[in-house]
Amino acid sequence: MTGTVPLLTNHIGNAAVAAAAAKQLAVTSPHTGETIALVPLSTPADVAAAVAAAKQASGAWAALTLKARAAHLLRLYTVLQAHADELAELVVREHGKNKAEALGDV
């Protein structure tokens, strides 16, 4: 990987949120050993914010009909399939699998 190593964020309340954590963990490529990303070692406050957002969202999800939930899941499937190659490349970089195996995991 060339350039700056990305610092990943937490996903809370449908938004990318920087962690309060000062410490980070390096994600390394099993092929090269190079650092490909940094993940925050989230604090209890980060976790509490994520749990609170999930609890808030669960009420709206529970209120949906089965048909509406299925429509959301089908949309998720469609988006995942549209990005299958990109996701497989991430699996290759992070886990060292070959592309065919990675596509099977996606």
Side-chain angles (χ1 to χ4, degrees):
M1 177 174 198
T2 59
T4 306
V5 175
L7 173 60
L8 304 181
T9 57
N10 291 329
H11 192 83
I12 300 174
N14 204 28
V17 178
K23 293 184 179 180
Q24 302 158 354
L25 178 69
V27 178
T28 57
S29 166
H31 289 286
T32 65
E34 75 178 314
T35 299
I36 58 175
L38 298 170
V39 293
L41 296 176
S42 295
T43 65
D46 294 322
V47 175
V51 169
K55 283 182 179 177
Q56 184 178 8
S58 69
W61 180 256
L64 292 176
T65 65
L66 179 61
K67 185 175 181 179
R69 287 183 194 184
H72 283 290
L73 293 174
L74 183 57
R75 170 86 173 114
L76 174 61
Y77 172 79
T78 302
V79 170
L80 290 173
Q81 289 302 303
H83 294 277
D85 280 338
E86 180 184 354
L87 294 169
E89 286 298 328
L90 290 172
V91 172
V92 167
R93 290 183 64 211
E94 292 177 2
H95 300 281
K97 291 188 173 193
N98 66 44
K99 182 80 177 266
E101 288 178 351
L103 279 169
D105 288 345
V106 174

Coordinates of all heavy atoms in Angstrom, one line a residue:
M1 N 0.8 -1.2 0.0 CA 0.0 0.0 0.0 C 0.9 1.2 0.0 O 1.8 1.3 0.7 CB -0.9 0.0 1.2 CG -1.8 1.2 1.4 SD -2.9 0.9 2.7 CE -4.1 2.2 2.3
T2 N 0.6 2.2 -0.8 CA 1.3 3.4 -0.9 C 0.5 4.5 -0.3 O -0.7 4.5 -0.3 CB 1.8 3.7 -2.3 OG1 0.6 3.9 -3.1 CG2 2.6 2.6 -2.9
G3 N 1.2 5.5 0.2 CA 0.5 6.7 0.7 C 0.2 6.5 2.2 O 0.8 5.7 2.9
T4 N -0.8 7.3 2.6 CA -1.2 7.3 4.0 C -2.0 6.1 4.4 O -2.9 5.7 3.6 CB -2.0 8.6 4.3 OG1 -1.2 9.7 3.9 CG2 -2.3 8.8 5.7
V5 N -1.8 5.6 5.5 CA -2.5 4.4 6.0 C -3.8 5.0 6.6 O -3.8 5.9 7.5 CB -1.7 3.6 7.1 CG1 -2.6 2.6 7.7 CG2 -0.5 3.1 6.5
P6 N -5.0 4.5 6.2 CA -6.2 5.1 6.7 C -6.5 4.7 8.1 O -6.3 3.6 8.5 CB -7.3 4.5 5.7 CG -6.7 3.2 5.2 CD -5.2 3.5 5.2
L7 N -7.0 5.7 8.9 CA -7.5 5.4 10.2 C -9.0 5.2 10.1 O -9.8 6.1 9.6 CB -7.2 6.6 11.1 CG -7.9 6.5 12.5 CD1 -7.4 5.2 13.3 CD2 -7.6 7.7 13.3
L8 N -9.5 4.0 10.4 CA -10.9 3.7 10.2 C -11.7 4.3 11.4 O -11.2 4.7 12.4 CB -11.1 2.2 10.2 CG -10.3 1.4 9.1 CD1 -10.6 -0.1 9.2 CD2 -10.6 2.0 7.8
T9 N -13.0 4.4 11.1 CA -13.9 5.0 12.1 C -14.9 4.0 12.6 O -15.1 3.0 12.0 CB -14.7 6.2 11.5 OG1 -15.4 5.8 10.3 CG2 -13.7 7.4 11.1
N10 N -15.6 4.4 13.6 CA -16.8 3.5 14.1 C -18.0 3.9 13.3 O -18.1 5.1 12.8 CB -17.0 3.8 15.6 CG -15.9 3.2 16.4 OD1 -15.3 2.3 16.1 ND2 -15.7 3.9 17.6
H11 N -18.9 3.0 13.1 CA -20.2 3.3 12.4 C -21.3 3.3 13.5 O -21.7 2.3 14.0 CB -20.5 2.3 11.4 CG -21.5 2.7 10.4 ND1 -21.3 3.5 9.4 CD2 -22.9 2.4 10.4 CE1 -22.5 3.7 8.7 NE2 -23.4 3.0 9.4
I12 N -21.8 4.5 13.8 CA -22.7 4.7 14.9 C -23.9 5.5 14.4 O -23.6 6.6 13.9 CB -22.1 5.3 16.1 CG1 -20.9 4.4 16.7 CG2 -23.1 5.5 17.2 CD1 -20.1 5.1 17.8
G13 N -25.1 5.1 14.6 CA -26.3 5.9 14.2 C -26.2 6.2 12.7 O -26.6 7.3 12.3
N14 N -25.8 5.3 11.9 CA -25.8 5.5 10.4 C -24.8 6.6 10.0 O -25.0 7.3 9.0 CB -27.2 5.8 9.9 CG -27.3 5.4 8.4 OD1 -26.7 4.5 7.9 ND2 -28.2 6.1 7.7
A15 N -23.8 6.7 10.7 CA -22.7 7.7 10.4 C -21.4 7.2 10.8 O -21.2 6.5 11.7 CB -23.0 9.0 11.1
A16 N -20.4 7.7 10.0 CA -19.0 7.4 10.4 C -18.6 8.3 11.6 O -18.8 9.6 11.4 CB -18.0 7.6 9.2
V17 N -18.1 7.8 12.7 CA -17.8 8.6 13.9 C -16.4 8.3 14.3 O -16.1 7.1 14.5 CB -18.8 8.2 15.0 CG1 -18.5 9.0 16.3 CG2 -20.3 8.5 14.6
A18 N -15.6 9.3 14.5 CA -14.3 9.1 15.0 C -14.4 8.6 16.4 O -15.2 9.1 17.2 CB -13.5 10.4 15.0
A19 N -13.5 7.6 16.8 CA -13.5 7.1 18.1 C -12.8 8.0 19.1 O -11.9 8.8 18.7 CB -12.8 5.7 18.1
A20 N -13.2 8.0 20.3 CA -12.6 8.8 21.4 C -11.2 8.2 21.7 O -10.4 8.8 22.3 CB -13.5 8.9 22.6
A21 N -11.0 6.9 21.3 CA -9.8 6.2 21.7 C -8.6 6.8 21.1 O -8.5 7.3 20.0 CB -9.9 4.8 21.2
A22 N -7.5 6.9 21.9 CA -6.2 7.4 21.5 C -5.4 6.2 20.9 O -4.6 6.4 20.0 CB -5.5 8.0 22.6
K23 N -5.7 5.0 21.4 CA -4.9 3.9 20.9 C -5.5 3.3 19.7 O -6.7 3.3 19.5 CB -4.8 2.8 22.0 CG -4.0 3.2 23.2 CD -3.9 2.1 24.2 CE -3.1 2.5 25.4 NZ -3.0 1.4 26.4
Q24 N -4.6 2.7 18.8 CA -5.1 2.1 17.6 C -4.4 0.8 17.4 O -3.3 0.5 18.0 CB -4.7 3.0 16.4 CG -5.3 4.4 16.5 CD -4.5 5.4 15.7 OE1 -3.5 5.1 15.1 NE2 -5.0 6.6 15.6
L25 N -5.0 -0.1 16.6 CA -4.4 -1.4 16.2 C -4.1 -1.4 14.7 O -5.0 -1.0 13.9 CB -5.4 -2.5 16.6 CG -5.0 -3.9 16.3 CD1 -3.8 -4.3 17.1 CD2 -6.1 -4.9 16.4
A26 N -3.0 -1.8 14.3 CA -2.6 -1.9 12.9 C -3.2 -3.2 12.3 O -3.2 -4.3 12.9 CB -1.1 -1.9 12.7
V27 N -3.8 -3.0 11.1 CA -4.3 -4.2 10.3 C -3.2 -4.4 9.3 O -2.8 -3.5 8.5 CB -5.6 -3.9 9.6 CG1 -6.0 -5.0 8.7 CG2 -6.7 -3.5 10.6
T28 N -2.6 -5.6 9.3 CA -1.5 -5.9 8.4 C -1.8 -6.9 7.4 O -2.7 -7.8 7.6 CB -0.3 -6.4 9.2 OG1 -0.6 -7.6 10.0 CG2 0.3 -5.4 10.2
S29 N -1.2 -6.8 6.2 CA -1.4 -7.7 5.2 C -0.6 -9.0 5.5 O 0.6 -8.9 5.8 CB -0.8 -7.1 3.9 OG -0.6 -8.2 2.9
P30 N -1.2 -10.2 5.4 CA -0.5 -11.4 5.7 C 0.5 -11.7 4.6 O 1.4 -12.5 4.9 CB -1.6 -12.5 5.7 CG -2.8 -11.9 5.1 CD -2.7 -10.4 5.2
H31 N 0.4 -11.1 3.5 CA 1.4 -11.4 2.4 C 2.6 -10.6 2.6 O 3.7 -11.1 2.4 CB 0.8 -11.0 1.0 CG -0.3 -12.0 0.6 ND1 0.0 -13.2 0.1 CD2 -1.6 -11.8 0.5 CE1 -1.2 -13.8 -0.2 NE2 -2.1 -13.0 0.0
T32 N 2.5 -9.3 2.9 CA 3.7 -8.4 2.9 C 4.0 -8.0 4.3 O 5.1 -7.5 4.5 CB 3.4 -7.2 2.1 OG1 2.3 -6.4 2.7 CG2 3.0 -7.5 0.6
G33 N 3.1 -8.1 5.3 CA 3.4 -7.6 6.6 C 3.2 -6.1 6.7 O 3.3 -5.5 7.8
E34 N 2.9 -5.4 5.6 CA 2.7 -3.9 5.7 C 1.4 -3.6 6.3 O 0.4 -4.3 6.3 CB 2.8 -3.3 4.3 CG 1.5 -3.6 3.4 CD 1.6 -2.9 2.1 OE1 2.0 -1.7 2.0 OE2 1.3 -3.6 1.1
T35 N 1.4 -2.4 7.0 CA 0.1 -1.9 7.6 C -0.8 -1.4 6.5 O -0.3 -0.5 5.8 CB 0.5 -0.9 8.7 OG1 1.3 -1.4 9.7 CG2 -0.8 -0.3 9.3
I36 N -2.0 -1.9 6.5 CA -2.9 -1.5 5.4 C -4.1 -0.6 6.0 O -4.7 0.1 5.2 CB -3.5 -2.6 4.7 CG1 -4.3 -3.6 5.6 CG2 -2.4 -3.3 3.9 CD1 -5.0 -4.8 4.9
A37 N -4.2 -0.6 7.3 CA -5.2 0.3 8.0 C -4.9 0.3 9.4 O -4.2 -0.5 10.0 CB -6.6 -0.2 7.7
L38 N -5.5 1.3 10.1 CA -5.5 1.4 11.6 C -6.9 1.4 12.1 O -7.8 2.1 11.5 CB -4.8 2.7 12.0 CG -3.3 2.8 11.6 CD1 -2.8 4.2 11.9 CD2 -2.5 1.8 12.3
V39 N -7.2 0.6 13.1 CA -8.5 0.6 13.7 C -8.4 1.2 15.1 O -7.4 0.8 15.8 CB -9.2 -0.8 13.7 CG1 -9.5 -1.2 12.3 CG2 -8.3 -1.8 14.4
P40 N -9.4 2.0 15.5 CA -9.3 2.5 16.9 C -9.6 1.4 17.9 O -10.5 0.5 17.6 CB -10.4 3.6 16.9 CG -11.3 3.2 15.9 CD -10.5 2.5 14.8
L41 N -9.0 1.4 19.0 CA -9.3 0.5 20.1 C -10.4 1.3 21.0 O -10.0 2.0 21.9 CB -8.1 0.2 21.0 CG -7.1 -0.6 20.2 CD1 -5.8 -0.9 21.0 CD2 -7.6 -2.0 19.7
S42 N -11.6 1.2 20.6 CA -12.7 2.0 21.1 C -12.8 1.9 22.6 O -12.6 0.9 23.2 CB -14.0 1.6 20.4 OG -13.9 1.9 19.0
T43 N -13.2 3.0 23.2 CA -13.4 3.2 24.6 C -14.7 2.7 25.0 O -15.6 2.5 24.2 CB -13.2 4.6 25.0 OG1 -14.3 5.4 24.4 CG2 -11.9 5.2 24.6
P44 N -14.9 2.5 26.3 CA -16.3 2.2 26.8 C -17.3 3.2 26.4 O -18.5 2.9 26.1 CB -16.1 2.1 28.3 CG -14.7 1.7 28.5 CD -14.0 2.4 27.4
A45 N -16.9 4.5 26.3 CA -17.9 5.5 25.9 C -18.2 5.3 24.4 O -19.4 5.6 24.0 CB -17.2 6.9 26.1
D46 N -17.3 4.9 23.6 CA -17.6 4.6 22.2 C -18.6 3.5 22.0 O -19.5 3.6 21.3 CB -16.3 4.2 21.4 CG -15.3 5.3 21.3 OD1 -15.7 6.5 21.1 OD2 -14.1 5.0 21.4
V47 N -18.4 2.5 22.8 CA -19.3 1.3 22.8 C -20.6 1.7 23.3 O -21.7 1.3 22.7 CB -18.7 0.1 23.6 CG1 -19.7 -1.0 23.7 CG2 -17.4 -0.3 23.0
A48 N -20.7 2.5 24.4 CA -22.0 3.0 24.9 C -22.8 3.8 23.9 O -24.0 3.6 23.7 CB -21.8 3.8 26.2
A49 N -22.1 4.6 23.1 CA -22.7 5.4 22.1 C -23.3 4.5 21.0 O -24.4 4.7 20.5 CB -21.8 6.4 21.5
A50 N -22.6 3.4 20.6 CA -23.0 2.5 19.6 C -24.2 1.7 20.1 O -25.2 1.5 19.4 CB -21.9 1.5 19.2
V51 N -24.2 1.3 21.4 CA -25.3 0.5 21.9 C -26.5 1.4 22.0 O -27.7 1.0 21.7 CB -24.9 0.0 23.3 CG1 -26.2 -0.6 24.0 CG2 -23.9 -1.1 23.2
A52 N -26.4 2.7 22.4 CA -27.5 3.6 22.5 C -28.2 3.8 21.2 O -29.4 3.8 21.0 CB -27.1 4.9 23.1
A53 N -27.3 4.0 20.1 CA -27.8 4.2 18.8 C -28.6 2.9 18.3 O -29.6 3.0 17.6 CB -26.7 4.5 17.8
A54 N -28.0 1.7 18.6 CA -28.7 0.5 18.2 C -30.0 0.3 18.9 O -31.0 -0.1 18.3 CB -27.8 -0.7 18.5
K55 N -30.1 0.7 20.2 CA -31.3 0.6 20.9 C -32.4 1.5 20.3 O -33.5 1.1 20.2 CB -31.1 0.9 22.4 CG -30.5 -0.3 23.1 CD -30.4 0.1 24.6 CE -29.7 -1.0 25.4 NZ -29.5 -0.7 26.8
Q56 N -31.9 2.7 19.9 CA -32.9 3.7 19.4 C -33.4 3.2 18.0 O -34.6 3.3 17.7 CB -32.2 5.0 19.2 CG -33.1 6.1 18.7 CD -32.4 7.4 18.6 OE1 -31.2 7.5 18.7 NE2 -33.1 8.5 18.2
A57 N -32.5 2.6 17.2 CA -32.9 2.1 15.9 C -33.8 0.9 16.0 O -34.6 0.6 15.1 CB -31.7 1.8 15.0
S58 N -33.6 0.1 17.0 CA -34.4 -1.2 17.1 C -35.9 -1.0 17.1 O -36.6 -1.8 16.6 CB -33.9 -2.0 18.3 OG -34.3 -1.4 19.5
G59 N -36.4 0.1 17.7 CA -37.8 0.4 17.8 C -38.4 0.6 16.4 O -39.4 0.0 16.1
A60 N -37.7 1.3 15.6 CA -38.2 1.6 14.2 C -38.2 0.3 13.4 O -39.1 0.0 12.6 CB -37.3 2.7 13.5
W61 N -37.1 -0.5 13.6 CA -37.0 -1.8 12.8 C -38.1 -2.7 13.3 O -38.7 -3.4 12.4 CB -35.6 -2.4 13.1 CG -35.4 -3.7 12.4 CD1 -35.4 -4.9 12.9 CD2 -35.1 -3.9 11.0 NE1 -35.2 -5.9 12.0 CE2 -35.0 -5.3 10.8 CE3 -35.0 -3.0 9.9 CZ2 -34.7 -5.8 9.5 CZ3 -34.7 -3.6 8.7 CH2 -34.6 -5.0 8.5
A62 N -38.4 -2.8 14.6 CA -39.4 -3.7 15.1 C -40.8 -3.3 14.6 O -41.7 -4.1 14.4 CB -39.4 -3.7 16.6
A63 N -41.0 -2.0 14.3 CA -42.3 -1.5 13.8 C -42.5 -1.8 12.3 O -43.7 -1.7 11.9 CB -42.4 0.0 14.1
L64 N -41.5 -2.2 11.6 CA -41.7 -2.5 10.2 C -42.4 -3.8 10.0 O -42.2 -4.7 10.8 CB -40.3 -2.6 9.5 CG -39.5 -1.3 9.4 CD1 -38.1 -1.6 8.8 CD2 -40.2 -0.2 8.6
T65 N -43.1 -3.9 8.9 CA -43.7 -5.2 8.5 C -42.7 -6.1 8.0 O -41.6 -5.7 7.6 CB -44.8 -4.9 7.4 OG1 -44.1 -4.5 6.2 CG2 -45.9 -3.9 7.8
L66 N -43.0 -7.4 8.0 CA -42.1 -8.4 7.4 C -41.7 -8.0 6.0 O -40.6 -8.1 5.6 CB -42.7 -9.8 7.5 CG -41.9 -10.9 7.0 CD1 -40.6 -11.0 7.7 CD2 -42.7 -12.2 7.0
K67 N -42.7 -7.6 5.2 CA -42.4 -7.2 3.8 C -41.5 -6.1 3.7 O -40.5 -6.1 2.9 CB -43.7 -6.9 3.1 CG -43.6 -6.6 1.6 CD -45.0 -6.4 1.0 CE -44.8 -6.1 -0.5 NZ -46.1 -5.9 -1.1
A68 N -41.6 -5.1 4.6 CA -40.7 -3.9 4.6 C -39.3 -4.3 5.0 O -38.3 -3.9 4.4 CB -41.2 -2.8 5.5
R69 N -39.2 -5.2 6.0 CA -37.9 -5.7 6.4 C -37.2 -6.4 5.3 O -36.0 -6.3 5.0 CB -38.0 -6.6 7.7 CG -38.3 -5.9 8.9 CD -38.3 -6.8 10.1 NE -38.9 -6.3 11.2 CZ -39.0 -6.9 12.4 NH1 -38.5 -8.1 12.5 NH2 -39.6 -6.3 13.4
A70 N -38.0 -7.3 4.6 CA -37.4 -8.1 3.5 C -36.9 -7.1 2.4 O -35.9 -7.4 1.8 CB -38.5 -9.0 3.0
A71 N -37.6 -6.1 2.1 CA -37.2 -5.1 1.1 C -35.9 -4.5 1.5 O -35.0 -4.3 0.6 CB -38.3 -4.1 0.9
H72 N -35.7 -4.1 2.7 CA -34.4 -3.6 3.2 C -33.3 -4.6 3.0 O -32.2 -4.3 2.6 CB -34.5 -3.1 4.7 CG -35.2 -1.8 4.8 ND1 -34.7 -0.6 4.5 CD2 -36.4 -1.6 5.4 CE1 -35.5 0.3 4.8 NE2 -36.6 -0.2 5.4
L73 N -33.5 -5.8 3.4 CA -32.5 -6.9 3.3 C -32.2 -7.2 1.8 O -31.0 -7.4 1.5 CB -33.0 -8.1 4.0 CG -33.0 -7.9 5.6 CD1 -33.6 -9.2 6.2 CD2 -31.7 -7.6 6.1
L74 N -33.2 -7.1 1.0 CA -33.0 -7.4 -0.5 C -32.1 -6.2 -1.0 O -31.2 -6.5 -1.8 CB -34.3 -7.5 -1.2 CG -34.1 -7.8 -2.7 CD1 -33.4 -9.1 -3.0 CD2 -35.5 -7.9 -3.3
R75 N -32.4 -5.0 -0.6 CA -31.5 -3.9 -1.0 C -30.1 -4.0 -0.6 O -29.2 -3.8 -1.3 CB -32.1 -2.6 -0.5 CG -31.3 -1.4 -0.7 CD -31.5 -0.7 -2.0 NE -30.7 0.5 -2.1 CZ -29.7 0.8 -2.9 NH1 -29.3 -0.2 -3.7 NH2 -29.0 1.9 -2.8
L76 N -29.9 -4.5 0.7 CA -28.6 -4.7 1.2 C -27.9 -5.8 0.3 O -26.7 -5.6 -0.1 CB -28.6 -5.2 2.6 CG -27.3 -5.6 3.3 CD1 -26.3 -4.5 3.3 CD2 -27.5 -6.2 4.7
Y77 N -28.6 -6.9 0.0 CA -28.0 -7.9 -0.8 C -27.6 -7.4 -2.2 O -26.5 -7.7 -2.7 CB -29.0 -9.1 -1.0 CG -28.6 -10.1 -2.0 CD1 -27.7 -11.1 -1.6 CD2 -29.1 -10.1 -3.3 CE1 -27.3 -12.0 -2.6 CE2 -28.7 -11.0 -4.2 CZ -27.8 -12.0 -3.8 OH -27.4 -12.9 -4.8
T78 N -28.4 -6.5 -2.8 CA -28.1 -6.0 -4.1 C -26.9 -5.1 -4.0 O -26.0 -5.2 -4.9 CB -29.4 -5.1 -4.6 OG1 -30.5 -6.0 -4.6 CG2 -29.1 -4.5 -5.9
V79 N -26.8 -4.3 -3.0 CA -25.6 -3.4 -2.8 C -24.3 -4.2 -2.6 O -23.3 -4.0 -3.2 CB -25.8 -2.4 -1.7 CG1 -24.5 -1.6 -1.4 CG2 -26.9 -1.4 -2.0
L80 N -24.4 -5.3 -1.8 CA -23.3 -6.1 -1.6 C -22.8 -6.8 -2.8 O -21.6 -6.9 -3.1 CB -23.6 -7.2 -0.5 CG -23.7 -6.7 0.9 CD1 -24.2 -7.8 1.9 CD2 -22.4 -6.1 1.4
Q81 N -23.8 -7.3 -3.6 CA -23.4 -7.9 -4.9 C -22.8 -7.0 -5.9 O -21.9 -7.3 -6.6 CB -24.7 -8.6 -5.5 CG -25.1 -9.8 -4.8 CD -24.1 -10.9 -4.7 OE1 -23.5 -11.3 -5.7 NE2 -23.7 -11.3 -3.4
A82 N -23.3 -5.7 -5.9 CA -22.7 -4.7 -6.8 C -21.3 -4.4 -6.4 O -20.5 -3.9 -7.2 CB -23.6 -3.4 -6.7
H83 N -20.9 -4.6 -5.1 CA -19.6 -4.3 -4.7 C -18.8 -5.6 -4.3 O -17.8 -5.5 -3.6 CB -19.6 -3.4 -3.5 CG -20.2 -2.0 -3.8 ND1 -19.4 -1.0 -4.3 CD2 -21.4 -1.5 -3.7 CE1 -20.2 0.0 -4.5 NE2 -21.4 -0.2 -4.1
A84 N -19.2 -6.7 -4.9 CA -18.5 -8.0 -4.6 C -17.0 -8.0 -4.9 O -16.2 -8.4 -4.0 CB -19.2 -9.1 -5.3
D85 N -16.6 -7.4 -6.0 CA -15.2 -7.4 -6.3 C -14.4 -6.6 -5.4 O -13.3 -7.0 -4.9 CB -15.0 -6.9 -7.8 CG -15.3 -8.0 -8.8 OD1 -15.2 -9.2 -8.5 OD2 -15.5 -7.6 -10.0
E86 N -14.9 -5.4 -5.0 CA -14.3 -4.5 -4.1 C -14.2 -5.2 -2.7 O -13.1 -5.1 -2.1 CB -15.1 -3.2 -4.0 CG -14.5 -2.2 -3.0 CD -15.4 -1.0 -2.9 OE1 -16.4 -0.9 -3.6 OE2 -15.0 -0.1 -2.1
L87 N -15.2 -5.8 -2.2 CA -15.2 -6.5 -1.0 C -14.3 -7.7 -1.0 O -13.5 -7.9 0.0 CB -16.6 -6.9 -0.6 CG -17.6 -5.8 -0.3 CD1 -19.0 -6.3 -0.2 CD2 -17.2 -5.1 1.0
A88 N -14.2 -8.4 -2.1 CA -13.3 -9.5 -2.2 C -11.9 -9.1 -2.2 O -11.0 -9.7 -1.5 CB -13.6 -10.3 -3.5
E89 N -11.6 -8.0 -2.8 CA -10.2 -7.4 -2.7 C -9.8 -7.1 -1.3 O -8.6 -7.3 -0.9 CB -10.1 -6.2 -3.6 CG -10.0 -6.5 -5.1 CD -8.8 -7.3 -5.5 OE1 -7.7 -7.2 -4.9 OE2 -9.0 -8.1 -6.4
L90 N -10.7 -6.6 -0.5 CA -10.5 -6.3 0.9 C -10.2 -7.6 1.7 O -9.2 -7.7 2.5 CB -11.6 -5.6 1.6 CG -11.8 -4.2 1.2 CD1 -13.2 -3.7 1.8 CD2 -10.7 -3.3 1.6
V91 N -10.9 -8.7 1.4 CA -10.7 -10.0 2.0 C -9.3 -10.5 1.6 O -8.6 -11.1 2.5 CB -11.8 -11.0 1.6 CG1 -11.5 -12.4 2.1 CG2 -13.1 -10.5 2.2
V92 N -8.9 -10.4 0.4 CA -7.6 -10.8 -0.1 C -6.5 -10.1 0.7 O -5.6 -10.7 1.2 CB -7.5 -10.6 -1.6 CG1 -6.0 -10.7 -2.1 CG2 -8.4 -11.5 -2.4
R93 N -6.6 -8.8 0.8 CA -5.6 -8.0 1.5 C -5.6 -8.3 3.0 O -4.5 -8.3 3.6 CB -5.9 -6.5 1.3 CG -5.6 -6.1 -0.2 CD -5.8 -4.6 -0.4 NE -4.8 -3.8 0.4 CZ -5.1 -2.6 0.9 NH1 -6.2 -2.0 0.7 NH2 -4.1 -2.0 1.5
E94 N -6.7 -8.4 3.6 CA -6.8 -8.6 5.1 C -6.5 -10.0 5.5 O -6.1 -10.2 6.7 CB -8.1 -8.1 5.6 CG -8.3 -6.6 5.5 CD -9.7 -6.1 6.0 OE1 -10.5 -6.9 6.5 OE2 -9.9 -4.9 5.8
H95 N -6.9 -11.0 4.7 CA -6.8 -12.4 5.2 C -5.9 -13.3 4.4 O -5.7 -14.4 4.7 CB -8.3 -13.0 5.2 CG -9.2 -12.3 6.1 ND1 -9.2 -12.5 7.4 CD2 -10.1 -11.3 5.8 CE1 -10.1 -11.7 8.0 NE2 -10.7 -11.0 7.0
G96 N -5.4 -12.8 3.2 CA -4.5 -13.5 2.4 C -5.1 -14.6 1.6 O -4.4 -15.5 1.1
K97 N -6.4 -14.6 1.4 CA -7.1 -15.6 0.5 C -6.8 -15.2 -0.9 O -6.6 -14.0 -1.2 CB -8.6 -15.6 0.8 CG -8.9 -16.2 2.2 CD -10.4 -16.4 2.3 CE -10.7 -17.1 3.6 NZ -12.1 -17.6 3.7
N98 N -7.0 -16.2 -1.8 CA -7.0 -15.9 -3.2 C -8.4 -15.3 -3.6 O -9.3 -15.4 -2.8 CB -6.6 -17.1 -4.1 CG -7.6 -18.2 -4.1 OD1 -8.8 -17.9 -4.1 ND2 -7.2 -19.4 -3.9
K99 N -8.4 -14.6 -4.8 CA -9.6 -13.9 -5.2 C -10.8 -14.8 -5.3 O -11.9 -14.4 -4.9 CB -9.3 -13.2 -6.5 CG -10.5 -12.4 -7.0 CD -10.6 -11.0 -6.4 CE -11.7 -10.2 -6.9 NZ -11.3 -9.3 -8.0
A100 N -10.7 -16.0 -5.8 CA -11.8 -16.9 -6.0 C -12.4 -17.3 -4.6 O -13.6 -17.3 -4.4 CB -11.4 -18.2 -6.7
E101 N -11.6 -17.6 -3.6 CA -12.0 -17.9 -2.3 C -12.7 -16.7 -1.7 O -13.7 -16.8 -1.0 CB -10.9 -18.4 -1.4 CG -10.4 -19.8 -1.7 CD -9.2 -20.1 -0.8 OE1 -8.7 -19.3 -0.1 OE2 -8.8 -21.3 -0.9
A102 N -12.1 -15.5 -1.9 CA -12.6 -14.3 -1.3 C -14.0 -14.0 -1.9 O -14.9 -13.6 -1.1 CB -11.7 -13.2 -1.5
L103 N -14.2 -14.2 -3.2 CA -15.5 -14.0 -3.8 C -16.5 -14.9 -3.2 O -17.7 -14.6 -3.0 CB -15.4 -14.1 -5.3 CG -14.9 -12.9 -6.0 CD1 -14.6 -13.3 -7.5 CD2 -15.9 -11.8 -6.0
G104 N -16.1 -16.1 -2.9 CA -17.0 -17.1 -2.2 C -17.5 -16.7 -0.9 O -18.6 -17.0 -0.4
D105 N -16.6 -15.9 -0.2 CA -16.9 -15.4 1.2 C -17.8 -14.2 1.1 O -18.5 -13.9 2.1 CB -15.6 -15.1 1.9 CG -14.9 -16.3 2.4 OD1 -15.4 -17.4 2.3 OD2 -13.7 -16.1 2.7
V106 N -17.8 -13.5 0.0 CA -18.6 -12.3 -0.1 C -20.0 -12.7 -0.5 O -21.0 -12.4 -0.2 CB -18.0 -11.3 -1.1 CG1 -18.9 -10.1 -1.4 CG2 -16.6 -10.8 -0.7

